[in-house]
Amino acid sequence: MENVMDGKTFCPAAAFEMLTGLTRTLQIVNQASWLETFQALWISAFHLVQRAKDPVAGPIPYTESRLSMLLSMVPLSIRPLLKEENHASINVGTSPSRKQSFMTCLQSLTQLVSLLDPPQPVVSAANDAATKASMVVMDFKKENTNMIVPQNYSTKAVGNLLHLVVESCIARDLIDTSAYFWPGYVVPCMVPEDFDMMPIDECPWSNFMQGAPLTKSLQSVLMAIPAPSVTELKKLNHLALHGSEEERSAAPKILCGASLKLGWNIQEHVVHIAVKLLSPQISLTSPVIGDANHYLSHLHMLASLLSCLSCHTVIHILALYGMIPEVVAALMPLCEAFGSFPPPSTNQSNAIEEVSAYSVFSFAFLFLLRLCKFHGPDKEPHPYICGAPARPDLKLDFLLLMRDSRIRNNCTTSMKNYLNNVVDLFQELRCHSVHVDMFPKLHAWYFENQAYLAPGILCNCNPNRMHHVSNKILIFVCRNMNKGKWPISGSGSSCSTITSTSSSTSSTSIGSASGSPWSIYEDEYLNTPLYPAWELLEAVPRVLEAILTACARGQISSCDLTTGLRDLVEFFPASIAAIICYYKAEITRGEWESVPLNGIDWPSPEDCLNSFGLEVKEVLESVGVHIESWSPHDAPPMLPLPLAAFLSLTITFKLDKNSEYTRVVTGQAIANYATISPWPVTSAIGALWARKAPRWHDFLVFLGVRSCFTNDKDAITQLLQSCIKSFLGPSSGDSNYMTSTRGVVGLLGESVCNSRAMGPGFLFLHTCHVFHAPYYFSEVILKLVVEWACKLADERSNRGSTKLKFGQPSLAIAISAVRQVAMLGTSLLCMAGRSPLVRVLFEDTLPIFLLSKREERCKPMTSICNILEGYALSYLLFFSTAMMWGVRTESAPDKSGSSKMSPHVITSHLDFITRVLEGTIELRCDPAMWKAHVSSFVGLIIRFSPGWVLGTKLDVLKQLSSTLRGWQECDLALSLLELGGTRAIEDALELL
């Protein structure tokens, strides 16, 4: 669950769909009751909320998005599990039904006192939920028992997270209001007679629905209180499209306020309405780019909507609902259209907050960059789009393919099941394919960025026009510098020169680089470059090349360079994207000289550089990772000129809320630079930003910690070893065996709010996405699981003996411990690389492990050690497959007659086993380990996922059953043939 909430991971699928499948799989493989399964799910979600204020999770706490996980995703994931039982006519016998187990689970949650404490932003909502239940209980008692209520008795009650959970479950028809009468659920409190409490019916939403004017005061209140039902959302949707200018601007702000962030009972409806508004009233037959004038008619609505959706928390909520592909598809035509509009007019009304095509383009374009991860440097060219922290599945073209796949496969059907009242809203989303090449301007910018060229130097642009725009931008950037000549070079064209004047002409204030871009840039002086946004983006790299070259030659100072770039970002916020991508390309080329951060020419981190490094080392050692110490350096750190210029620019931005849309893109880029850079660079970046933003100190230290895992394989190995050791605890012969913490607490740490006391597993969750070597990581996981299996065997067997003696733990207990190690290894593997890494495990790591000669151990291998190693391999392979693709408990073919009954990795591994059994492949592992692996792997499939057998070739089934029969595993062989269906009936009869 923590991995789903990771800010680096935007999963195209909805989180509740993933949780449904994962919950079903874990219930089967753990052989747990539904009560135990539901309890584990809720407890995990409660822990996730309690970690919301963890400083290492980022500079912005994700309280709202984590609450969405608890109060929206978990109930939505449970709903299909309960419906499955209702639709399947299964005789459950004496065991409780899923519904009964779910009800019992909710009642048992009252015991989790330490986990039910609500975060500060939702204390009021929790109290309101408890008060609502108290009023219902009191009204019932008055009507049915004629109870006399004391004069000073109040229905006001103190609530916790459980009250919010119950309200969310009631809203989704998982339970009814009888939950209000559970023992101990409502505890009313006595209040003084003069206690002033606003009646619960006095809700501003009632005034809004009755037609009250949408004044500033009412708008502020509606933004702070979630909408009570979908009816209010429909009216907001109507006002956003058809209201007055003020209403069009206010409706998206209200919609994306508390209704989106805290309206958990209707959150899925808010998300889909907001995404639909990104493509206002465009019919399914309209072209993808749309009518430019049509977009202009919704200018204020789109500006307001984009400013709200680009909030950090909202992006996480959109990702939880799997809406990132839809949002990306909606942003592309906005970028193409608004980037092609002429510059903003200077004669617009001041009646409402002014917006322009520049501001809408900047919001849409930077929003698109954040979702698709354009930013960030690359150590060396590889298929990843944004450097080490990115994943290949976050490419723009991948997200569009994911969206088109949903349309073709009708994947929206599952989502419609959760939208009872606004199914029509989802149907109004665009249902035609969207491709990058449909947008010429965006297409050119995107693929030049992919090719590691300076984005914007387009081959199809008019050279004279581009020189003219570049000169205008250069004059604007250099208007406050000393007089000089700045070359603008272009391929195949003569160089122009621009004389930058000190400009005696007065310039008007154009806002703050960190402030809101909602201002119209008036051309009161000729030096202001007013051109379509795409033309400005195309010209910015040429300007950057000119001023960076001038800085390298000493023609301009570093301060003038930083000031000029900041002015450019103030004027045109989207230019930060061109700046980031240009510097990324230049840093990758490595052709610029390094400059010292000496505090004279460039800012110096000297005052906190060494202490920053010591803090990073302390955190690493606390989780059992020991690497070569970083010795203090007397000389100032050296950075490449483009990186020094970019770092100096970033520390000039303000840290207020209005600057988030530009600062986050910049911050993600600089964090990526820090992650993949060598230590002196990382420490310099971290120290400078720690001095600028002291409240982000722990997060910046964490970036330094993360950087050591990018290229240091030994550090990765130590972290993985520490994860397994902390989970299992010390060996039985250790003096701390009885007092040490183990399990989940040992893995994640006792205090997740203290970065010095975090567990190795918690560090792994937030650093695994930077691991560069998937093959090495898969190999380490496999070897560690096998190594710990052998270690467990050594602990449980007598010295020099190959058998377990009487009085010692049995073989079943040893296998159970091996199963835990394999389950942990599966979790680490799937979190770090998901399905691609699982395929690497099956197709490369395991065959190499079995075909290679094992290293000599200082202690001779016992038979029990070989057997446990075989079991460890089986568990690791089976659990990895089950976590990624789920299990198939049905042993009969589905109605569609599909032959794809099992994941490809399972069929390929069974084919590999068959070739080994036939003698085609010769292994170099111990026969006892191989025999244990084959029998246990087949047994796991038969026991937990018999449907996988249907996709296996008949020849493979015959060979496996024959071998198992020779190993005296007749029951296993017969079960395998029985699951093979009618095609294997003849062999099954022969076996009998």
Side-chain angles (χ1 to χ4, degrees):
M1 193 172 290
E2 181 76 40
N3 192 48
V4 175
M5 286 301 307
D6 187 1
K8 291 28 172 216
T9 304
F10 290 138
C11 183
F16 63 81
E17 293 176 330
M18 298 171 57
L19 282 178
T20 299
L22 188 60
T23 302
R24 187 186 294 111
T25 298
L26 289 176
Q27 190 271 335
I28 294 173
V29 299
N30 288 330
Q31 295 181 286
S33 66
W34 280 108
L35 173 61
E36 296 169 333
T37 303
F38 288 138
Q39 286 176 336
L41 181 60
W42 284 115
I43 290 174
S44 299
F46 284 131
H47 275 295
L48 187 73
V49 172
Q50 297 304 323
R51 288 195 290 266
K53 296 181 181 180
D54 181 5
V56 300
I60 303 175
Y62 302 122
T63 304
E64 291 88 353
S65 54
R66 291 175 182 251
L67 284 167
S68 296
M69 198 73 180
L70 170 68
L71 302 173
S72 293
M73 297 294 104
V74 174
L76 287 173
S77 68
I78 292 175
R79 185 176 179 180
L81 297 175
L82 300 183
K83 283 189 174 182
E84 284 177 359
E85 189 177 49
N86 295 334
H87 295 161
S89 55
I90 302 176
N91 185 11
V92 295
T94 58
S95 61
S97 65
R98 297 183 187 181
K99 182 79 171 182
Q100 293 171 337
S101 299
F102 178 68
M103 297 281 288
T104 305
C105 171
L106 288 180
Q107 296 182 55
S108 68
L109 294 180
T110 55
Q111 304 173 18
L112 307 176
V113 179
S114 60
L115 295 179
L116 297 180
D117 186 30
Q120 187 60 39
V122 295
V123 170
S124 177
N127 292 339
D128 291 342
T131 301
K132 176 183 176 182
S134 178
M135 294 177 63
V136 172
V137 173
M138 182 59 59
D139 292 341
F140 178 83
K141 290 182 178 179
K142 288 180 180 179
E143 295 176 1
N144 295 274
T145 63
N146 297 321
M147 183 182 70
I148 300 177
V149 181
Q151 187 175 4
N152 65 338
Y153 188 88
S154 173
T155 55
K156 185 176 178 64
V158 178
N160 53 35
L161 287 177
L162 180 59
H163 294 92
L164 296 177
V165 166
V166 169
E167 288 299 321
S168 181
C169 293
I170 293 175
R172 292 177 171 85
D173 296 327
L174 301 182
I175 58 177
D176 53 34
T177 55
S178 62
Y180 295 159
F181 298 88
W182 289 345
Y185 180 75
V186 174
V187 183
C189 58
M190 305 294 291
V191 297
E193 294 183 7
D194 58 348
F195 185 84
D196 185 17
M197 183 176 67
M198 184 181 70
I200 195 170
D201 292 335
E202 291 185 8
C203 177
W205 283 101
S206 300
N207 298 332
F208 169 72
M209 294 302 293
Q210 292 172 4
L214 202 56
T215 60
K216 289 289 185 181
S217 58
L218 180 59
Q219 175 184 336
S220 300
V221 175
L222 295 180
M223 290 176 62
I225 302 176
S229 67
V230 179
T231 305
E232 288 78 4
L233 302 181
K234 290 183 177 180
K235 183 173 181 179
L236 286 174
N237 180 66
H238 177 79
L239 290 179
L241 295 174
H242 308 292
S244 63
E245 291 291 344
E246 291 82 0
E247 290 173 337
R248 291 187 183 191
S249 178
K253 295 179 181 179
I254 299 173
L255 183 70
C256 298
S259 296
L260 177 59
K261 299 176 183 178
L262 304 177
W264 309 288
N265 299 343
I266 57 172
Q267 193 173 61
E268 58 268 33
H269 307 287
V270 183
V271 167
H272 283 79
I273 291 176
V275 174
K276 189 197 68 170
L277 284 176
L278 285 174
S279 302
Q281 293 184 337
I282 297 179
S283 64
L284 301 181
T285 58
S286 298
V288 176
I289 296 180
D291 183 6
N293 294 327
H294 175 78
Y295 282 122
L296 283 177
S297 65
H298 295 283
L299 180 70
H300 294 90
M301 184 274 291
L302 289 172
S304 179
L305 179 64
L306 288 168
S307 66
C308 297
L309 291 182
S310 59
C311 171
H312 221 82
T313 299
V314 174
I315 292 179
H316 269 251
I317 294 175
L318 292 174
L320 289 179
Y321 283 93
M323 296 303 293
I324 298 302
E326 279 70 24
V327 174
V328 167
L331 290 175
M332 293 170 67
L334 294 180
C335 293
E336 190 75 14
F338 283 100
S340 304
F341 286 150
S345 170
T346 61
N347 299 318
Q348 295 197 13
S349 170
N350 294 323
I352 61 172
E353 193 175 22
E354 298 288 1
V355 297
S356 67
Y358 278 1
S359 59
V360 176
F361 174 82
S362 294
F363 266 124
F365 190 64
L366 295 180
F367 193 10
L368 183 65
L369 297 193
R370 291 173 66 182
L371 298 183
C372 299
K373 301 284 189 178
F374 283 83
H375 51 74
D378 285 297
K379 193 77 174 181
E380 58 185 15
H382 53 68
Y384 286 40
I385 196 172
C386 69
R391 296 184 184 274
D393 58 358
L394 293 180
K395 291 183 180 179
L396 175 59
D397 47 1
F398 177 87
L399 292 173
L400 294 179
L401 287 174
M402 174 62 67
R403 177 185 176 276
D404 293 343
S405 176
R406 290 180 178 180
I407 296 174
R408 290 193 302 268
N409 299 329
N410 295 321
C411 291
T412 59
T413 303
S414 61
M415 182 70 72
K416 292 178 184 177
N417 294 332
Y418 298 97
L419 304 177
N420 298 326
N421 299 321
V422 289
V423 174
D424 56 312
L425 297 179
F426 188 83
Q427 291 174 341
E428 292 177 16
L429 293 177
R430 292 184 177 183
C431 293
H432 54 73
S433 298
V434 176
H435 306 286
V436 181
D437 53 6
M438 294 178 177
F439 312 96
K441 300 288 187 180
L442 180 61
H443 176 271
W445 194 93
Y446 171 69
F447 280 100
E448 290 193 3
N449 178 53
Q450 289 287 89
Y452 302 97
L453 301 175
I457 303 180
L458 303 178
C459 58
N460 59 349
C461 60
N462 187 322
N464 294 331
R465 173 72 172 179
M466 185 53 53
H467 282 207
H468 179 71
V469 177
S470 302
N471 291 346
K472 276 288 188 179
I473 297 177
L474 189 58
I475 292 175
F476 175 79
V477 170
C478 302
R479 68 190 188 281
N480 295 321
M481 301 180 189
N482 295 327
K483 293 183 179 181
K485 293 186 177 181
W486 315 110
I488 301 294
S489 59
S491 177
S493 60
S494 60
C495 294
S496 342
T497 59
I498 293 296
T499 301
S500 173
T501 64
S502 298
S503 188
S504 58
T505 59
S506 62
S507 60
T508 60
S509 174
I510 51 180
S512 166
S514 311
S516 175
W518 307 126
S519 58
I520 295 298
Y521 307 114
E522 298 182 0
D523 193 10
E524 294 184 0
Y525 51 96
L526 297 177
N527 291 349
T528 303
L530 295 179
Y531 300 95
W534 282 117
E535 293 188 13
L536 293 181
L537 276 182
E538 293 167 2
V540 165
R542 297 172 178 269
V543 176
L544 293 175
E545 182 180 2
I547 61 176
L548 204 61
T549 301
C551 183
R553 294 174 179 174
Q555 294 177 278
I556 62 174
S557 67
S558 59
C559 181
D560 287 339
L561 173 64
T562 302
T563 303
L565 293 181
R566 187 184 61 202
D567 291 343
L568 178 60
V569 177
E570 289 175 353
F571 170 71
F572 181 46
S575 63
I576 191 65
I579 294 173
I580 291 173
C581 293
Y582 174 79
Y583 282 149
K584 177 185 72 172
E586 294 306 309
I587 294 172
T588 302
R589 290 191 181 100
E591 297 178 356
W592 295 86
E593 295 183 358
S594 298
V595 295
L597 301 183
N598 51 19
I600 301 175
D601 300 316
W602 301 95
S604 172
E606 183 179 0
D607 54 345
C608 55
L609 186 62
N610 292 332
S611 62
F612 185 85
L614 292 176
E615 288 184 72
V616 170
K617 183 180 178 182
E618 179 184 347
V619 174
L620 288 172
E621 291 179 347
S622 68
V623 295
V625 178
H626 304 275
I627 60 178
E628 185 179 355
S629 61
W630 300 296
S631 57
H633 297 279
D634 296 331
M638 305 287 289
L639 266 66
L641 178 59
L643 181 55
F646 181 60
L647 178 60
S648 300
L649 174 64
T650 61
I651 61 177
T652 64
F653 292 158
K654 294 181 180 179
L655 303 179
D656 54 12
K657 185 177 181 180
N658 292 332
S659 68
E660 182 181 350
Y661 79 107
T662 51
R663 189 190 70 246
V664 170
V665 174
T666 307
Q668 289 174 336
I670 201 67
N672 291 345
Y673 282 115
T675 299
I676 72 168
S677 299
W679 173 244
V681 175
T682 301
S683 60
I685 294 175
L688 282 174
W689 264 94
R691 185 171 60 190
K692 176 179 175 60
R695 65 190 178 94
W696 294 354
H697 180 83
D698 286 348
F699 169 71
L700 296 167
V701 170
F702 190 76
L703 289 181
V705 172
R706 196 173 66 180
S707 65
C708 79
F709 296 103
T710 305
N711 301 306
D712 192 339
K713 294 182 178 180
D714 184 59
I716 297 175
T717 302
Q718 292 184 50
L719 181 61
L720 293 174
Q721 289 175 334
S722 184
C723 286
I724 297 178
K725 184 176 180 180
S726 62
F727 182 76
L728 295 178
S731 60
S732 57
D734 196 291
S735 58
N736 298 325
Y737 177 76
M738 299 299 296
T739 59
S740 64
T741 57
R742 53 176 57 85
V744 177
V745 176
L747 182 65
L748 297 179
E750 296 181 354
S751 175
V752 297
C753 294
N754 184 354
S755 60
R756 305 298 184 274
M758 73 174 68
F762 191 79
L763 179 61
F764 176 86
L765 284 171
H766 292 274
T767 58
C768 60
H769 59 278
V770 304
F771 297 164
H772 252 312
Y775 289 88
Y776 175 79
F777 183 81
S778 175
E779 178 185 353
V780 171
I781 287 289
L782 178 64
K783 289 184 176 180
L784 284 177
V785 170
V786 172
E787 176 185 328
W788 275 88
C790 198
K791 183 178 179 180
L792 291 170
D794 291 339
E795 291 179 0
R796 286 163 170 78
S797 61
N798 190 25
R799 294 180 181 179
S801 174
T802 61
K803 297 182 179 180
L804 295 176
K805 285 192 172 183
F806 177 78
Q808 291 182 331
S810 66
L811 178 61
I813 296 179
I815 293 177
S816 177
V818 170
R819 184 183 186 275
Q820 293 183 20
V821 177
M823 181 66 81
L824 176 61
T826 296
S827 301
L828 300 176
L829 188 77
C830 295
M831 285 188 293
R834 293 176 287 185
S835 56
L837 200 54
V838 174
R839 292 189 181 96
V840 169
L841 173 67
F842 273 88
E843 298 171 2
D844 295 277
T845 307
L846 180 65
I848 293 175
F849 177 80
L850 295 174
L851 295 172
S852 303
K853 185 178 180 180
R854 300 281 298 276
E855 297 180 359
E856 295 294 336
R857 298 179 75 228
C858 57
K859 191 174 182 179
M861 296 279 288
T862 62
S863 60
I864 188 63
C865 182
N866 290 322
I867 292 175
L868 291 184
E869 284 185 350
Y871 277 103
L873 287 178
S874 301
Y875 282 126
L876 181 63
L877 297 179
F878 179 82
F879 290 152
S880 299
T881 309
M883 293 302 173
M884 285 294 98
W885 293 282
V887 295
R888 182 180 174 88
T889 56
E890 300 84 2
S891 58
D894 57 9
K895 297 180 180 179
S896 62
S898 174
S899 60
K900 191 175 181 181
M901 303 298 178
S902 60
H904 172 71
V905 292
I906 292 295
T907 56
S908 63
H909 185 59
L910 292 178
D911 291 342
F912 174 80
I913 292 176
T914 301
R915 291 196 299 270
V916 173
L917 297 177
E918 293 173 346
T920 307
I921 300 177
E922 183 178 354
L923 302 181
R924 306 190 66 177
C925 62
D926 189 270
M929 186 194 74
W930 174 250
K931 179 180 177 181
H933 165 61
V934 173
S935 58
S936 61
F937 186 71
V938 174
L940 288 172
I941 294 177
I942 293 175
R943 186 175 185 180
F944 298 116
S945 188
W948 288 355
V949 178
L950 293 174
T952 308
K953 299 176 183 177
L954 181 59
D955 293 341
V956 173
L957 295 180
K958 291 180 179 180
Q959 181 62 53
L960 286 174
S961 63
S962 176
T963 302
L964 291 172
R965 182 175 53 186
W967 291 345
Q968 305 302 315
E969 297 281 359
C970 296
D971 293 340
L972 203 60
L974 181 59
S975 299
L976 186 64
L977 291 176
E978 289 177 346
L979 294 174
T982 56
R983 57 187 179 139
I985 189 171
E986 182 178 344
D987 296 275
L989 292 174
E990 181 180 348
L991 178 60
L992 290 174

